[in-house]
């Protein structure tokens, strides 16, 4: 009977225009994050530079990304999700205009730093807000599809870079900057039509403002239907014995190990392999890797039906096996580019399954009042470790480099196995209250 009641209530949840604006607002924010993060790899060709400066430029992306994450995580918990978004968008505008005129190494570093700081804060805030704002029956699906815009950002940058690769470098910078500004304007329009997180407002005791936001953006009846759907899903999980309590140490171990593998493993093959070993294929590698991820990312349409624990295990297990194959066949794919592209596509199919699942998980397992801060902590540590791998591997031969990549994915697999055995199920229509332990 409870299940029937739940199905009736879930069916009464409606996808509103506010949800559409929120979805596009979050998706475009994710797109810009990867567009900007990938830019440093392209920028290695903008001005002549020695090897050590090239390594600094490649490390520049994660360095400033984590600084933005460290600031914006607590900020979003303190001043709200929406105010944080307006701050990051203002910085996007400054950085986009500046990068167009950056014709020296110093200016490139300066305006990339501004853009990356904003991107780190933007994505972190989206990962907190989306779980809190989307309808219960679409929570997982919308999060994964928003994350798939990250792949689209890489695809767009790869296309712009390929089409401008043989043009004057100033023209390439201009095209990249103008594209960024166009997306930013569209995102600003969407943000003005999205509310503050009602869940965050209520946890902070701002009940009157929460009521005003509900009335303005959803209507009382629609929002009550959402509350009841989530409540019934929580009760159903409890009655089925599926609402397992998971401690903070296990959550941190799983999210940090999987996030580190996702950042470092993907980054070393997509953003560092090209500049170090295949400079003429740099833009193409970014395009193929992110294009594969974007196409495969549409599995997110079924995310509310599937097990998050199983998807995490499949993604990291498959990626580890493919990286082992890449290491064992180094002598083959370095001489046969067709084999290289096949392996890169297969690798990124599994990478993307693990990546979208892991990024969804690490924003949903924390309490609302500290969701931004804990998500930031995990991303700060994992991306910080990725920075270390860029320097550790800068003098590696290709064989050692690919072996090192396999070891990184083994670390991620350890986290996925731990969550599969001892973690809580946060997929299959689980409510955010159960997923977060609240």
């Amino acid at each position: 009977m409870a299940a029937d009641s739940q199905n009736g209530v879930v069916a009464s949840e409606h996808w509103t225009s506010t949800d559409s604006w929120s979805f596009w607002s979050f998706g475009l924010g994710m797109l810009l994050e990867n567009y900007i993060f990938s830019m440093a790899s392209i920028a290695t060709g903008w001005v002549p530079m020695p090897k050590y400066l090239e390594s600094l430029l490649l490390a520049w992306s994660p360095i400033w990304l984590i600084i933005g994450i460290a600031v914006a995580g607590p900020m979003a918990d303190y001043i709200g999700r929406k105010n944080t978004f307006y701050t990051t968008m203002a910085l996007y505008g400054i950085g986009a205009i500046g990068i167009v005129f950056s014709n020296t190494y110093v200016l490139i570093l300066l305006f990339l730093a501004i853009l990356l700081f904003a991107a780190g804060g933007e994505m972190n805030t989206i990962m907190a807000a989306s779980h809190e704002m989307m309808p219960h029956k679409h929570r997982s699906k919308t999060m994964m599809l928003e994350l798939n815009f990250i792949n689209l950002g890489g695809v767009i940058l790869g296309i712009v870079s390929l089409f401008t690769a043989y043009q004057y470098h100033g023209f390439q910078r201009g095209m990249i900057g103008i594209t960024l500004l166009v997306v930013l304007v569209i995102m600003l329009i969407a943000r003005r039509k999205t509310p503050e997180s009602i869940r965050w407002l209520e946890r902070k005791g701002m009940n009157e403002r929460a009521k005003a936001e509900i009335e303005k953006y959803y209507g009382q009846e629609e929002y009550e239907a959402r509350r009841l759907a989530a409540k019934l899903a929580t009760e159903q999980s409890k009655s089925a014995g599926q609402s397992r309590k998971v401690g903070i140490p296990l959550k941190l171990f799983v999210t940090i190990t999987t996030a580190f593998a996702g950042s470092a493993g993907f980054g070393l093959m997509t953003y560092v392999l090209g500049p170090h070993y295949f400079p003429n294929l740099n833009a193409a590698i970014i395009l193929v890797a992110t294009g594969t991820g974007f196409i495969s990312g549409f599995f997110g349409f079924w995310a509310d039906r599937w097990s998050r624990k199983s998807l995490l295990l499949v993604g990291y297990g498959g990626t580890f096996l493919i990286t082992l194959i890449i290491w064992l066949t180094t002598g083959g794919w370095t001489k046969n580019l067709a084999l290289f592209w096949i392996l890169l596509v297969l690798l990124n199919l599994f990478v993307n399954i693990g990546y979208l699942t892991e990024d969804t998980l690490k924003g949903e397992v924390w309490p609302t009042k500290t969701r931004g801060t804990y998500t930031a902590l995990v991303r700060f540590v994992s991306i910080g470790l990725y920075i270390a791998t860029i320097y550790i591997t800068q003098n590696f031969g290709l064989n050692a480099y690919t072996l090192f990549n396999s070891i990184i994915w083994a670390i991620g697999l350890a986290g996925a196995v731990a969550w599969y055995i001892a973690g809580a199920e946060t997929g299959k229509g689980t409510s955010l209250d159960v997923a977060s332990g609240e």
Side-chain angles (χ1 to χ4, degrees), residues 78 107 139 193 200 223 238 241 254 314 332 375 380:
Y78 184 69
L107 286 176
R139 180 177 68 83
K193 297 178 182 292
W200 177 81
Y223 205 78
K238 287 181 178 178
V254 171
V314 168
T375 305
F380 184 91

Side-chain angles (χ1 to χ4, degrees), residues 263-285:
S263 300
F266 177 76
L268 289 175
M269 292 300 288
T270 304
Y271 303 124
V272 182
L273 184 72
H276 279 185
Y277 301 102
F278 304 103
N280 294 331
L281 298 175
N282 193 25
I285 289 172

Side-chain angles (χ1 to χ4, degrees), residues 253-316:
F253 172 75
V254 171
T255 52
I256 288 173
T257 53
T258 55
F260 164 63
S263 300
F266 177 76
L268 289 175
M269 292 300 288
T270 304
Y271 303 124
V272 182
L273 184 72
H276 279 185
Y277 301 102
F278 304 103
N280 294 331
L281 298 175
N282 193 25
I285 289 172
I286 291 174
L287 180 58
V288 170
T290 54
T292 301
F294 178 66
I295 293 169
S296 63
F298 287 101
F299 80 86
F301 276 112
W302 295 273
D304 291 288
R305 304 179 193 174
W306 291 347
S307 163
R308 196 95 75 241
K309 294 168 73 172
S310 298
L311 281 176
L312 196 69
L313 190 63
V314 168
Y316 281 85

